[in-house]
């Protein structure tokens, strides 16, 4: 009898669970066609609140089930803004098309696009997301700005994010949209098959930039936040992979980062680039944050600054250009920090000398590598430049080192690829007792005794040659007990 009662109870519980599951599935919004939200239309069974303006967007509040757009999209092409509040549920869609949009295109008219906001979501895995304004209109006063894209907020992060691409660009008289992402996991701008996609924030009247604060890995193709118009500046981009403050847990990979200002007539500013909170950083293509401006108009033109730090290796394989036409003093600076035994590499080890590192494109370059030859954090760190170094101005002695190359400690070494057909000046003899091709560089931005030394021929990774270099000429580069220790973790 007891077994029969237990069996009946179990069947009832199972039936109840199945019923709840069916209810949750039924409550999920699944698109069978594109959902036009431009006039406040319903999204499935959900009617919006709000009026669709920037200050009072249409808000679609989910209570259960989430959103599956499939191979379709939700969109508003009237300039109205909308918000999806997912109540913790997921957004899914088929890779290969556009899943979410507030973009707008028109001929002969001003077409401002609306903002698109995603709040309180779980995981997001969709096709492309677009808020661009593609106007064929020559007007004034920024008549055709793109919409802003916001995913999550600092108080309620979304989960993992994967989207094919993001497009917030603007043409003619319009600024690009601002991208703000708060996530608790990976942010992958790539297809479901793993092919990296682009972020397009190129613009006509100024870029607003991109700020990604999450906790995990980041992958993207090319990030375009440049400007090509006069009297306007490019957008800055900030990536933080340790938004939760619990330590780096993923790699940063990108094809190219572009925050340059491409108009020569006015004092445009290039955008800054900041990357931090990742286990490693790899950019396989170019980093372009130069300003073509040579004129002074209201403010001085300036190249963008590049700051990158990782709990491991930093590898920048392509061209790096932070210059401005107004002169080196107005160019951007680059500061690279690799902790936990990580190294810093500029240029492609598989193709050394393929890209020149032109020092005229920088205010200065700072290297803080924790890769060591002898395992002693009070001695030296090593960085490698696999490119030909162009426009190097060697110092004559310890009192006049090179001002543009800088290291964290006075015994750190930067090894360089020695193609003497390009780096002829780096092979000239010198009078301070070191091998030809070895020069003093600055330490921590001040006068110091760091070294620039040729990479041993055929060496894939610098050989442990530090001690022999330090002994040459009795220059006394001895680690002092008072020297700042590197972070061991």
């Amino acid at each position: 009898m007891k077994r029969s009662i237990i069996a009946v109870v179990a069947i009832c519980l199972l039936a109840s669970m199945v019923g709840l599951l069916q209810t949750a599935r039924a409550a999920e919004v699944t698109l069978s066609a594109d959902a036009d939200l431009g006039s406040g239309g319903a999204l499935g069974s959900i009617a919006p609140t709000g009026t669709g303006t920037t200050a009072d967007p249409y808000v679609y509040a989910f209570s259960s089930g989430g959103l599956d757009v499939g191979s379709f999209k939700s969109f508003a092409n009237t300039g109205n803004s909308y918000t999806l509040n997912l109540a913790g549920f997921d957004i899914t869609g088929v890779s290969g098309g556009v899943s979410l949009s507030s973009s707008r295109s028109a001929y002969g008219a001003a077409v401002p696009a609306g903002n698109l906001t995603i709040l309180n979501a779980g995981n997001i895995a969709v096709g492309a997301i677009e808020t661009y304004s593609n106007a064929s209109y020559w007007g004034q006063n920024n008549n055709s700005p793109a919409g802003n894209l916001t995913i999550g907020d600092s108080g309620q992060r979304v989960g993992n994010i994967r989207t094919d691409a993001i497009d917030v660009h603007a043409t003619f008289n319009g600024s690009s949209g601002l991208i703000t992402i708060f996530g608790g996991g990976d942010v992958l701008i790539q297809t479901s098959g793993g092919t990296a996609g682009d972020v397009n924030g190129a613009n006509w009247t100024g870029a607003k930039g991109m700020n990604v604060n999450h906790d995990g890995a980041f992958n993207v193709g090319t990030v375009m936040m440049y400007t090509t118009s006069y009297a306007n500046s490019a957008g800055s981009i900030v990536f933080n992979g340790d938004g939760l403050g619990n330590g780096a847990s993923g790699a940063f990979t990108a094809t190219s980062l572009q925050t340059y200002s491409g108009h020569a007539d006015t004092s445009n500013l290039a955008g800054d680039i900041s990357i931090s909170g990742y286990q490693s950083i790899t950019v396989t293509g170019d980093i372009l944050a130069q300003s073509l401006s040579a004129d002074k108009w209201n403010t001085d033109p300036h190249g963008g600054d590049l700051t990158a730090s990782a709990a491991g290796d930093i590898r920048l394989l392509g061209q790096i250009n932070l210059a401005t036409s107004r002169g080196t003093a107005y160019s951007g600076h680059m500061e690279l920090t690799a902790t936990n035994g990580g190294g810093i590499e500029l240029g492609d080890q598989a193709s050394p000398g393929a890209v020149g590192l032109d020092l005229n494109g920088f205010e200065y370059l700072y290297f803080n590598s924790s890769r060591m030859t002898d395992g002693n954090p009070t001695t030296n760190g090593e960085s490698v430049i696999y490119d030909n170094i162009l426009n190097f101005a060697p110092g004559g002695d310890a009192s006049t080192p090179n001002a543009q190359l800088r290291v964290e400690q006075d015994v750190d070494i930067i090894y360089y690829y020695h193609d003497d057909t390009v780096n002829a000046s780096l092979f000239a003899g010198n009078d301070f007792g070191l091998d030809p091709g070895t020069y003093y560089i600055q330490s921590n931005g001040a006068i110091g005794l760091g070294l620039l030394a040729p990479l041993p021929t055929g060496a894939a990774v610098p050989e442990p040659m530090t001690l022999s270099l330090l002994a040459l000429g009795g220059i006394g580069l001895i680690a002092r007990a008072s020297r700042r220790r590197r972070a061991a973790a």
Side-chain angles (χ1 to χ4, degrees):
M1 185 66 177
K2 290 183 178 179
R3 290 181 179 176
S4 298
I5 294 174
I6 292 173
V8 171
V9 172
I11 291 172
C12 291
L13 288 174
L14 180 59
S16 176
M17 292 174 63
V18 170
L20 288 174
L21 181 59
Q22 289 175 341
T23 300
R25 287 177 175 171
E28 181 181 53
V29 174
T30 302
L31 298 187
S32 58
D34 290 347
D36 186 351
L37 311 181
S39 299
L43 182 56
S45 60
I46 303 174
T49 59
T51 60
T53 65
T54 301
D56 185 30
Y58 297 128
V59 177
Y60 294 85
F62 288 68
S63 59
S64 62
L67 173 63
D68 181 3
V69 301
S71 59
F72 303 101
K73 67 179 177 181
S74 67
F75 72 97
N77 61 4
T78 55
N80 288 324
S81 300
Y82 69 95
T83 296
L84 304 176
N85 191 324
L86 272 296
F89 291 92
D90 298 342
I91 302 179
T92 57
V94 174
S95 184
V98 177
S99 293
L100 305 170
S101 175
S102 64
S103 63
R104 207 169 175 212
S105 298
Y107 179 79
V111 286
N115 297 331
L116 172 56
T117 303
I118 302 172
L119 297 177
N120 198 19
N123 295 324
I124 300 172
V126 295
I129 303 175
E130 299 177 341
T131 67
Y132 66 80
S133 171
N134 195 11
S136 299
Y137 176 74
W138 185 273
Q140 299 296 324
N141 301 322
N142 194 21
N143 286 318
S144 304
N148 298 329
L149 172 63
T150 303
I151 302 178
D153 58 39
S154 58
Q156 180 62 62
R157 297 172 180 268
V158 302
N160 294 313
I161 300 171
R162 188 209 58 75
T163 178
D164 285 9
I166 296 176
D167 191 346
V168 297
H169 84 272
T171 57
F172 286 93
N173 199 32
S175 60
S176 63
L178 172 66
I179 300 173
T180 305
I181 297 175
F182 284 94
D186 298 337
V187 175
L188 307 177
I189 315 299
Q190 63 184 44
T191 65
S192 58
T195 301
D198 297 336
V199 173
N200 186 358
N203 63 91
W204 179 248
T205 57
K208 294 179 182 176
M210 180 176 189
N211 191 325
V212 180
N213 186 298
H214 68 117
D215 201 76
F218 182 88
N219 183 44
V220 72
T222 298
V223 178
M224 294 168 279
M225 282 293 164
Y226 59 82
T227 184
T228 57
S229 68
Y230 61 90
N232 294 287
S233 298
S236 295
I237 53 180
V238 178
F239 305 99
N240 179 4
D242 185 24
L244 299 181
N246 55 5
S249 59
F252 177 97
T253 54
T255 301
S256 180
L257 305 175
Q258 302 177 8
T259 61
Y260 63 85
S261 172
H263 201 283
D265 292 340
T266 56
S267 57
N268 296 357
L269 302 178
D272 296 332
I273 300 171
S274 175
I275 309 170
S276 63
Y278 298 95
Q279 290 181 325
S280 62
I281 296 172
T282 302
V283 181
T284 58
D286 297 340
I287 299 177
L288 305 177
Q290 72 272 29
S291 173
L292 297 184
S293 299
D295 295 344
K296 180 178 180 180
W297 187 27
N298 298 326
T299 59
D300 287 322
H302 202 284
D305 296 332
L306 169 61
T307 304
S309 60
D313 293 339
I314 298 176
R315 301 176 66 242
L316 309 180
L317 278 62
Q319 177 190 4
I320 305 172
N321 189 349
L322 312 182
T324 181
S325 299
R326 190 164 172 80
T328 301
Y330 298 93
S331 296
H333 60 259
M334 180 171 71
E335 298 187 355
L336 307 177
T337 300
T339 60
N340 291 358
I344 297 171
E345 298 180 4
L346 303 187
D348 189 354
Q349 179 181 328
S351 183
V355 180
L357 183 68
D358 189 350
L359 299 189
N360 283 348
F362 303 87
E363 180 185 5
Y364 66 85
L365 296 82
Y366 164 79
F367 298 79
N368 182 4
S369 171
S370 61
R371 179 186 288 166
M372 299 166 288
T373 56
D374 57 7
N376 186 346
T378 63
T379 55
N380 71 282
E382 295 179 340
S383 303
V384 184
I385 298 175
Y386 289 107
D387 292 330
N388 294 308
I389 300 176
L390 308 177
N391 293 304
F392 178 81
D397 53 37
S399 64
T400 57
N402 177 271
Q404 286 179 284
L405 291 177
R406 305 178 184 181
V407 290
E408 167 65 13
Q409 296 190 98
D410 60 8
V411 290
D412 287 357
I413 295 178
I414 300 175
Y415 295 101
Y416 68 90
Y417 169 68
H418 51 102
D419 179 352
D420 56 4
T421 64
V422 177
N423 287 337
S425 66
L426 299 183
F427 281 84
N430 52 57
D431 57 3
F432 35 83
L434 300 177
D435 280 345
T438 302
Y439 294 93
Y440 289 108
I441 57 177
Q442 286 190 324
S443 176
N444 200 26
I447 298 299
L449 302 176
L451 296 176
L452 175 67
L455 182 68
T457 302
V461 177
E463 296 292 335
M465 58 186 296
T466 306
L467 295 180
S468 61
L469 279 173
L470 298 184
L472 288 172
I475 60 175
L477 302 182
I478 301 173
R480 297 183 296 274
S482 59
R483 183 171 298 120
R484 202 167 38 237
R485 295 191 63 190
R486 296 187 191 282

